[in-house]
Amino acid sequence: LLKESEKEYRNLVEMAPDGIITIDIKGFITSCNPAALALSGRPKDEVIGKHFTKTGSLQVSDIPKYLKMFSAVLEGKSPAPVEYLFVREDGTTAWAEAHYALVEDSGKAAVVQVILSDITDRKRTGELTLIQRDLLPESEIKYHSYIETAEAALIVLYGDG
């Protein structure tokens, strides 16, 4: 029964449309499914066994933030889903939403499981990132807020209509 259950779990992970990664308590990637590899564009041998900060996917300036978050997860804290910009193998960038969970074995931290969803299309179709919001004047932020939360169709006319 245990082998059958394990086989079913493995099939779910392998066929999942979202990326699923496990990271040991030292930060090294122990497994990843095909969707995670497709998201990064990297081959399995460039991901498995590497520290999550050394895969080339994270923006260098963001690494301290992710190390801090990783430590918090290991302490049993559940962070809210995180949106981050990452670098694919071909050098292009994309957006992912990451959900983190600590998996324990006999009451001790065993691995951190990460589920990644590609949100690139959503981010590129008008949703302002926090960085963009920081660069805009208050009036522009207010304008975007109205547009993003409108419950009716909006038409904006410029100049001569």
Side-chain angles (χ1 to χ4, degrees):
L1 186 64
L2 183 60
K3 283 192 179 223
E4 187 62 33
S5 202
E6 186 177 313
K7 185 178 177 182
E8 288 176 11
Y9 173 76
R10 213 177 291 248
N11 283 339
L12 284 173
V13 170
E14 291 298 309
M15 298 198 52
D18 288 334
I20 301 174
I21 299 172
T22 55
I23 304 171
D24 71 15
I25 61 172
K26 293 182 179 178
F28 291 89
I29 298 172
T30 57
S31 70
C32 62
N33 71 347
L37 295 172
L39 195 60
S40 72
R42 288 174 167 72
K44 196 171 191 172
D45 64 342
E46 288 184 18
V47 177
I48 302 295
K50 295 253 173 119
H51 195 275
F52 76 93
T53 63
K54 304 288 185 195
T55 63
S57 292
L58 299 176
Q59 304 274 348
V60 174
S61 60
D62 289 338
I63 289 175
K65 174 175 67 173
Y66 293 111
L67 287 169
K68 184 177 177 182
M69 189 170 53
F70 184 74
S71 294
V73 173
L74 289 176
E75 293 170 4
K77 298 174 186 162
S78 298
V82 175
E83 294 179 357
Y84 72 97
L85 187 65
F86 67 96
V87 181
R88 291 188 168 128
E89 176 69 11
D90 65 5
T92 60
T93 58
W95 283 94
E97 180 176 84
H99 297 255
Y100 300 86
L102 180 65
V103 178
E104 295 181 341
D105 185 17
S106 303
K108 292 177 123 181
V111 295
V112 172
Q113 192 170 50
V114 183
I115 299 178
L116 301 166
S117 300
D118 186 346
I119 60 167
T120 305
D121 290 341
R122 182 181 89 197
K123 294 297 276 187
R124 292 194 175 146
T125 56
E127 182 178 325
L128 292 176
T129 66
L130 293 175
I131 293 168
Q132 289 170 317
R133 287 184 190 275
D134 288 344
L135 299 175
L136 292 176
E138 186 64 33
S139 62
E140 192 73 13
I141 293 170
K142 192 181 235 183
Y143 168 78
H144 281 280
S145 175
Y146 292 141
I147 298 296
E148 291 170 2
T149 59
E151 293 183 15
L154 297 173
I155 299 172
V156 179
L157 298 175
Y158 293 98
D160 60 358

